[in-house]
Amino acid sequence: MTQSRRHATHEVLNQVPPLAGYDVADDAALLGAIRREGCGWAESELHELGVLAGTAATQELARLANVSKPVLRTHDARGYRIDEVDFHPSWHELMNTAVSHGLHAAPWADKTPATHVARAAKFFVWAQAEAGHGCPISMTYACVPALRHSPDLAARYEPLLASASYDPGLRPPEGKAGLLAGMAMTEKQGGSDVRANTTTAVPAGDGSYLLTGHKWFCSAPMCDLFLVLAQAPEGLTCFLLPRVLPDGSRNAMYIQRLKDKLGNCANASAEVEYDAAVAWPVGEPGRGVRTIINMVSATRLDCVLGSAAAIRQAAVIAASYAARRQAFGAPLIDHPAMTSVIADLTVESEAATTLAIRLAGAADRAARGDAAEAALLRVALPAAKYWVCKRTPVITAEALECLGGNGYVEDYSPMPRLLRDSPLNSIWEGSGNVTALDVLRALTTTPACADALLAEIDLAGGDRRAAAAAAGLRELLKAALGADSQRQARQLAGQITVTLQASLLARHAPAAIWDAFSSSRLGTAGGAGGSAGSVTGPGTPFGSLPDGLDLPAITARATVTTG
Ligand SMILES: Cc1cc2nc3c(=O)[nH]c(=O)nc-3n(C[C@H](O)[C@H](O)[C@H](O)COP(=O)(O)OP(=O)(O)OC[C@H]3O[C@@H](n4cnc5c(N)ncnc54)[C@H](O)[C@@H]3O)c2cc1C
């Protein structure tokens, strides 16, 4: 009998084991931020979810959900339209965890202070398991403030949207254990300019309307309810449209096809048509944008949280790999050029996380009637959505490169998926220009916004570098709110975000992080794009940190313990 033996030329050396078996919530910046926001009480739940997110089993669910893409079934075997989307069981398992941990609309049913912060932190942690299923989870969270514009609809559906039961399948919403909600605004001719929507809504005479038209992007089409914009006789109006009507019949919402997307592959994004579909108005007819903007604002917060989560995940994967992979006789992370790259990614991650959770705190307090926090959120949220989401693809690509060629390989790590998913948060809920222009709109229409923003930034006034950054922002605000302001909208949104991050890090971050951030990202001559005459600044590639920083103390913040 011949004995099989390992071929001598195929000895596997210097390969890094998969990063698994760690607590995703073992994140000092995150934990510090939630304690400041008054929700240290959520730490044990956060660690529970963090441990689950870091398991090899969850990572496998994430992989499967993305390689086994959702499949549309328009008709059944006998030719009847069914318009159902089949998901891999891994999708349902991820969704079940998200819903049962209250990442969807649960906080709206809970009066505990800082409950929205706890939910935000959990969303941040669980997004590091898989990002795509966060879409219906975010939309379900975000639809509640809009739905409350119609108290009778909110009374009927809010308890089910907040329920901890994941109950997939198309059945009358009233009889289900839990509901999910989506939104449909974007049409073929444009998504930014929703006032140009062509879908029509005709009063049916019983308080409902009949909607006819199409939506070019409608993600998670297996949701139970959708907020839809359509042109009613009164003007553009927000509607609640159920997939299944109270009598059990299917509403006339037809899924034409699913998009073949760059990333976000676990999630289904559909093109849909309505043929006299039944819907009820939400909020005042003719004031649809004002109503749905509440949903848009909440989903924008999740875009910031989701992007901050991707940045953290990318930094952790890169740091872990670089600590274990040897080159030229030493671990990669000990080579000064690589130490600088990992440190720079870590600094960016800490800034994004700290700001994201501060904004979640503002959202929590704004929801309880705090006007100053609402004003801060109104300007800081679109600014952060613009900047943090736009930074994510660059950071993800840099982190991927830390793994060299292995970073490019699908089954080696989640980095290829992270990179494919990374541009999305910047596109939906207001693409880059649109969110930057929204910052200008907030500042010009609501004077309280600038006051709230500067008051928050000035809290770090005792620090010389933070004070200089605040002075620079004041100058830019004066200049940018003039005649040609639209051209400067991106610069303004970027500089607002970086100055806010500076204020937060000056007050709350360890000295090593603050030193690195302030010496690399606060150049004034180049605005948010970098300092005059230097090659540092956020506009330059990562790893261009100046000398004299405590880089090991920084990279330690992205180092996790595996069990
Ligand atoms: C994966 C995915 C899922 C999605 N899911 C949904 C969904 O569930 N529901 C939904 O309603 N939509 C959804 N969308 C659509 C998304 O919200 C839109 O793509 C987005 O709002 C932009 O609209 P648009 O694609 O029509 O681009 P356009 O509006 O044509 O804009 C194109 C570009 O022009 C810029 N621009 C627009 N106006 C101005 C201006 N005044 N000044 C300067 N620049 C400007 C924009 O920033 C953008 O870069 C999804 C998109 C993706 C990619």
Side-chain angles (χ1 to χ4, degrees), residues 139 183-186 190-193 217-219 261 264 269 424 427-434 437:
M139 292 193 293
M183 79 166 117
M185 298 188 290
T186 308
S192 307
D193 185 7
F217 278 94
C218 175
S219 288
K261 296 176 289 182
N264 188 249
S269 298
L424 181 54
I427 294 173
W428 63 17
E429 305 307 344
S431 307
N433 286 348
V434 170
L437 289 169

Side-chain angles (χ1 to χ4, degrees), residues 300-315:
R300 281 184 178 176
L301 177 62
D302 277 10
C303 289
V304 178
L305 289 161
S307 288
I311 293 171
R312 167 73 184 171
Q313 189 178 4

